[in-house]
Each structure stands twice: as structure tokens, then as C-alpha cells.
């Protein structure tokens, strides 16, 4: 375990989180988030270098735009902090290519979790790169290519079967179209073995959220958010404890 790795991961994660926050705020509005200068979401004033330092700038500005004094969307700080935690936790346990792969996995899951929670939306332009990233880098987390291909197919097929069965039995949608794709992408990172605990934890989280919010069986639930929240800690624990188990 490496303190230097954790610090580097936190700084890198905060920078990544700053971009992710802009993406998830602007994308659902149909606005461009990849190109162009950073600007205030309210007055459109372009931001200077001192206003772009992740987390620190928000504290310095006391959560308000320097030009128009409008409140800065808290999503910026929330995403920066979450991405910093993911980066720090990943590079703390593995300050190498495995840790970078784990951080990348978490950083792509973060906007998917956020977008599904707020908009019930798991966009293919994020889910597809997540799956391709699993094929390319998932081996660094310990699963073989064969296990990951089986995991991708099994994850997609399992939730697709649930989706179709629920539709036939109940006559309405019980899962979003993106949920099977997301579980398939997770399988391409982790392999088929961890999919059962991922589903179990996601289901438990879903039940807890439904009870806390008083949701009925007809109310939509962001299951993609639950899958994302379940998958990354399980991936982290596998990478953290695998050396101890093997030894």
C-alpha cells in the first residue's frame, strides 16, 4: 500500500472529476461538454485558471460564481470528491497499472451512476467504452480474457432475460434497456464469478433505497446506479485481498 500513490490518485481523480461533472451537467441538456472553455453554468462567463482548481476553487469562491454570484452546482464538488476518493483508494492498494485500471473502471462508472440516478439514463457512448475498457484492461484486475468474455455475455444475457420475462408477465418494463448492457460491461472487467455478488449487493441497495424513499413497485428505480455502486467496491476488494489469498 502506498501513501504517495493515494495522493497522486486523489489529485488525478479530482481533475478527472472536474471534467466528469461538466459532462453530466451539460450532456442531458444537449450542450457540448468535451470542447470549449469552462464557463459558469448560469452567466456563461468563462472561468480563469484560479477558478478551475478542483475542490479548492469552490472553497475559495464560497460556492458562488465570481462574476454573477450565482450558486455553483454542487455536482462539481461532489463528482470531484468522489473521483478523488476512487483514485486515492485504487492507487493506495496498487500504485501500478492494476491500480490505474481500477481507477479507470471507477471513473467511468461514476457518471453512469449519476446519470441513471438523476435521469434514468445509461448512455451507450459511456457504456460501450466501459465494456471496451474491460476487454483491454480488465485482465489487470485478475480475471482471464475467457472469464471476462463469459462475464460480459452472462451479465448481458441474465438481465436481458429478467427484462423480457418481466415484460411478458407484468405487461410493462421492469428494467431499463441500459441495465443489461451495463452488467455486461461490468462482466468484461471482472469476469463471470463476481457477477452474483454484484447483483446481490445491487439488489440490496435497491431495496434499501426503495424503502427509504417509499417507492412502490410501479415507481422507477435507478438500478444502473446500484450496479455501479456495487461493482467498484467488489473490484477493489478483489484487487486488495487477492495477493493475501494467493499467498
Amino acid at each position: 500500500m502506498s501513501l504517495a500513490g493515494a495522493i497522486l490518485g486523489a489529485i488525478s481523480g479530482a481533475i478527472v472529476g472536474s471534467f466528469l461533472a461538466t459532462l453530466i451537467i451539460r450532456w442531458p441538456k444537449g450542450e457540448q461538454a468535451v470542447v470549449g472553455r469552462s464557463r459558469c453554468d448560469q452567466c456563461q462567463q468563462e472561468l480563469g485558471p484560479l477558478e478551475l482548481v478542483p475542490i479548492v476553487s469552490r472553497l475559495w469562491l464560497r460556492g458562488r460564481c465570481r462574476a454573477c454570484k450565482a450558486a455553483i452546482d454542487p455536482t462539481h464538488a461532489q463528482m470531484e470528491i468522489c473521483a478523488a476518493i476512487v483514485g486515492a483508494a485504487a492507487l493506495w492498494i496498487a500504485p501500478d497499472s492494476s491500480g490505474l485500471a481500477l481507477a479507470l473502471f471507477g471513473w467511468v462508472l461514476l457518471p453512469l451512476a449519476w446519470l441513471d440516478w438523476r435521469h434514468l439514463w445509461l448512455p451507450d457512448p459511456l457504456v460501450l467504452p466501459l465494456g471496451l475498457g474491460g476487454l483491454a484492461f480488465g485482465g489487470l484486475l485478475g480475471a482471464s480474457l475467457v472469464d471476462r468474455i463469459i462475464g460480459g455475455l452472462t451479465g448481458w444475457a441474465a438481465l436481458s432475460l429478467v427484462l423480457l420475462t418481466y415484460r411478458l408477465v407484468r405487461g410493462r418494463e421492469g428494467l431499463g434497456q441500459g441495465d443489461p448492457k451495463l452488467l455486461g460491461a461490468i462482466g468484461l472487467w471482472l469476469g463471470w464469478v463476481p457477477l452474483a455478488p454484484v447483483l446481490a449487493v445491487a439488489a440490496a441497495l435497491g431495496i434499501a433505497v426503495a424503502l427509504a424513499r417509499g417507492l412502490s413497485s410501479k415507481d422507477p428505480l435507478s438500478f444502473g446506479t446500484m450496479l455501479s455502486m456495487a461493482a467498484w467496491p467488489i473490484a477493489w476488494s478483489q484487487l486488495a485481498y487477492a495477493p493475501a489469498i494467493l499467498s
Side-chain angles (χ1 to χ4, degrees), residues 31-215:
E31 299 177 1
Q32 180 59 255
V34 178
V35 298
R37 294 287 302 275
S38 297
R39 52 182 168 75
C40 172
D41 297 320
Q42 300 297 324
C43 68
Q44 309 303 310
Q45 174 72 33
E46 290 188 355
L47 304 181
L50 294 178
E51 298 169 284
L52 295 173
V53 181
I55 302 174
V56 175
S57 291
R58 181 179 178 84
L59 296 174
W60 172 56
L61 295 169
R62 297 182 180 180
R64 294 191 173 276
C65 171
R66 186 169 61 169
C68 68
K69 306 304 180 184
I72 299 172
D73 192 322
T75 300
H76 289 283
Q78 293 166 357
M79 185 60 67
E80 288 165 4
I81 291 171
C82 287
I85 291 172
V86 166
L91 293 183
W92 176 55
I93 61 167
D96 53 20
S97 57
S98 296
L100 287 172
L102 181 61
L104 177 63
F105 182 44
W107 287 335
V108 182
L109 285 174
L110 277 175
L112 286 167
W114 233 270
L115 288 169
D116 197 46
W117 180 260
R118 291 191 171 186
H119 305 286
L120 296 173
W121 184 36
L122 295 170
D124 286 344
L126 279 179
V127 177
L128 178 58
L130 179 68
L132 293 176
L135 280 174
F137 307 115
L140 294 170
L141 302 186
S144 69
L145 179 60
V146 172
D147 282 350
R148 285 182 284 121
I149 291 175
I150 294 173
L153 293 173
T154 301
W156 173 81
L159 285 193
S160 293
L161 181 60
V162 172
L163 187 153
L164 292 173
T165 302
Y166 193 94
R167 182 187 298 164
L168 289 173
V169 174
R170 303 296 294 273
R172 55 187 174 86
E173 299 295 338
L175 281 175
Q177 299 287 340
D179 294 324
K181 300 174 189 176
L182 177 57
L183 188 60
I186 290 170
L188 289 173
W189 275 91
L190 305 184
W192 63 272
V193 175
L195 290 184
V198 167
L199 278 173
V201 173
L205 289 172
I207 292 171
V209 169
L211 291 175
R213 300 177 67 184
L215 301 179

Side-chain angles (χ1 to χ4, degrees), residues 208-222:
V209 169
L211 291 175
R213 300 177 67 184
L215 301 179
S216 72
S217 61
K218 295 183 179 180
D219 292 321
L221 180 68
S222 307

Side-chain angles (χ1 to χ4, degrees), residues 1-13 84 86-96 99-100:
M1 295 183 179
S2 168
L3 177 59
I7 294 172
L8 178 61
I11 294 172
S12 302
V86 166
L91 293 183
W92 176 55
I93 61 167
D96 53 20
L100 287 172

Side-chain angles (χ1 to χ4, degrees), residues 230-241:
W232 196 80
I234 288 174
W236 185 92
S237 65
Q238 285 193 153
L239 190 59
Y241 297 112

